[in-house]
Amino acid sequence: MTEQDIDRIAQGYRAFVDEARPTSPLYARLAEHAAGSPTVLEFLAALPTGKRQPNLLLGALQFLGGAPGDGAELDRRITDDAERLRATMLTRATQTNEPARCGALLPVLAQLEGPLTLIEVGASAGLCLYPDRYGYDYDGVQVGPSDSLRIRVETSGAVPVPAAVPEVVARIGVDLNPLDPADPGDRAWLRALVWPGPVADERLRRLDAAAQVAAAEPATLLRGDLVDRLPDALGFAAPGSTVVVLHTAVLPYVPGDVRARFAETVAGLPVRWLAQEPAGMVPGTGERPADGWGNEFVVSLDRRPLARSAPHGGRLEWLGDGLGASPA
Ligand SMILES: C[S@@+](CC[C@H](N)C(=O)[O-])C[C@H]1O[C@@H](n2cnc3c(N)ncnc32)[C@H](O)[C@@H]1O
């Protein structure tokens, strides 16, 4: 463990403070404390580099007994419960699965010629593979089944709110570590990844309802890397369907060279490519934010930016004057 390591970790936690503040003031306070706490920083520095991030530490703490109420409790928990905490952080990963992101995908999917095969890379438990099974409320305009969970979306610009959900005939997910929406342990971990704050209850209700939908109609979930498993995933496409390769909140986790290979591979396939990622993660979608995530995602189809969305869904700003979803 070097001083450089400690500085780098503290910097990461300081950057997280601004990201967390709007939706989770508690996480913002805990991250601020962590950035200056030798107890926390030394604990983190003893973990492998990919296992030190705020989301993972705070998720593991929630998983093991709830979020600490303040910095003093954070230090105490890290000292008293170090072994369990380390084991959880080593075996689990940040795999937040937010079905509300479907609110930004639906207006694009509904414009494509159906029926659709959806292939989601970085699917986590696959909860974004059911855009046709959820109900939506776009500024009061209702879309989709009325007996399912309801995803509320605040819109601006000419969002092409669809009259109906598209027909989905095959759902395939790829993930380094697919989670099982029917497994109580995986569901508990997904719940622990929801940041405590004013919108947490709503997010947890949505997560539980979406996990039920997914468990009742299991998708084909393949384990492995998004480039390596793409050919296998394509093998599960329904004949005669439009194949959509989609991903949301995945590419910042993928090393730059793999990201470039993925972009090249997808661009060469007879598929539509729908992404909801921080700017610049998909070629042609703008400048990459300094912290790798930023406060907005870009929704793009076949590399063409169509809209901006809140990272966890709930807000959608259309950039053009309507459809914009012309073939690439
Ligand atoms: C933040 S989660 C997003 C989950 C889901 N797309 C959503 O928006 O709710 C990122 C997911 O990407 C997966 N992932 C990261 N790198 C990957 C790779 N190279 N290949 C496949 N999956 C990957 C992680 O395991 C994780 O489940």
Side-chain angles (χ1 to χ4, degrees):
M1 169 191 334
T2 65
E3 223 165 273
Q4 251 179 347
D5 268 347
I6 298 270
D7 283 351
R8 211 171 302 121
I9 298 168
Q11 235 171 42
Y13 276 69
R14 256 180 241 117
F16 181 80
V17 172
D18 285 338
E19 193 189 328
R21 195 173 281 120
T23 46
S24 185
L26 174 61
Y27 270 11
R29 285 196 302 277
L30 291 173
E32 200 155 25
H33 173 85
S37 159
T39 305
V40 182
L41 294 174
E42 279 164 26
F43 169 80
L44 291 168
L47 289 165
T49 35
K51 289 285 177 184
R52 298 165 171 175
Q53 67 272 47
N55 245 340
L56 183 60
L57 172 69
L58 296 165
L61 285 159
Q62 281 219 85
F63 187 67
L64 294 174
D70 56 24
E73 191 186 336
L74 172 60
D75 285 352
R76 200 164 51 246
R77 293 266 302 276
I78 288 202
T79 309
D80 295 350
D81 209 5
E83 273 322 302
R84 279 194 327 146
L85 199 51
R86 186 174 297 118
T88 305
M89 292 176 73
L90 289 176
T91 50
R92 294 280 180 183
T94 49
Q95 294 194 263
T96 307
N97 205 179
E98 179 45 85
R101 291 180 176 137
C102 288
L105 305 178
L106 185 80
V108 183
L109 291 171
Q111 295 175 58
L112 304 179
E113 194 180 338
L116 304 178
T117 285
L118 302 183
I119 297 179
E120 187 190 5
V121 298
S124 183
L127 304 185
C128 295
L129 279 167
Y130 300 83
D132 54 324
R133 295 289 185 248
Y134 305 146
Y136 302 83
D137 177 331
Y138 289 93
D139 288 327
V141 178
Q142 312 296 318
V143 184
S146 55
D147 58 349
S148 185
L149 65 140
R150 195 125 295 254
I151 292 171
R152 261 186 291 281
V153 187
E154 236 174 71
T155 69
S156 54
V159 174
V161 175
V165 293
E167 184 188 2
V168 177
V169 285
R171 307 169 205 276
I172 302 117
V174 174
D175 201 285
L176 287 176
N177 179 43
L179 297 179
D180 178 355
D183 178 80
D186 284 354
R187 271 160 89 145
W189 176 244
L190 286 172
R191 293 184 114 253
L193 289 170
V194 173
W195 299 359
V199 294
D201 285 349
E202 187 187 332
R203 288 189 68 193
L204 289 170
R205 274 196 302 276
R206 193 163 54 226
L207 182 63
D208 291 341
Q212 253 179 2
V213 169
E217 193 182 348
T220 303
L221 293 182
L222 306 177
R223 180 180 297 273
D225 174 73
L226 78 187
V227 179
D228 300 342
R229 296 308 308 262
L230 201 49
D232 302 318
L234 286 166
F236 287 94
S241 63
T242 297
V243 179
V244 185
V245 172
L246 67 91
H247 47 93
T248 97
V250 174
L251 294 189
Y253 293 102
V254 177
D257 58 327
V258 182
R259 216 160 47 220
R261 252 189 313 130
F262 174 70
E264 212 175 288
T265 307
V266 185
L269 291 171
V271 300
R272 306 308 297 268
W273 178 12
L274 174 57
Q276 187 182 15
E277 297 284 354
M281 289 287 151
V282 169
T285 60
E287 286 295 309
R288 189 177 170 176
D291 64 0
W293 286 90
N295 287 324
E296 286 196 317
F297 282 5
V298 177
V299 180
S300 63
L301 181 68
D302 304 329
R303 295 188 282 187
R304 180 171 169 194
L306 297 179
R308 277 195 279 264
S309 77
H312 288 134
R315 185 168 40 77
L316 182 62
E317 179 197 353
W318 211 256
L319 298 173
D321 56 359
L323 296 186
S326 60

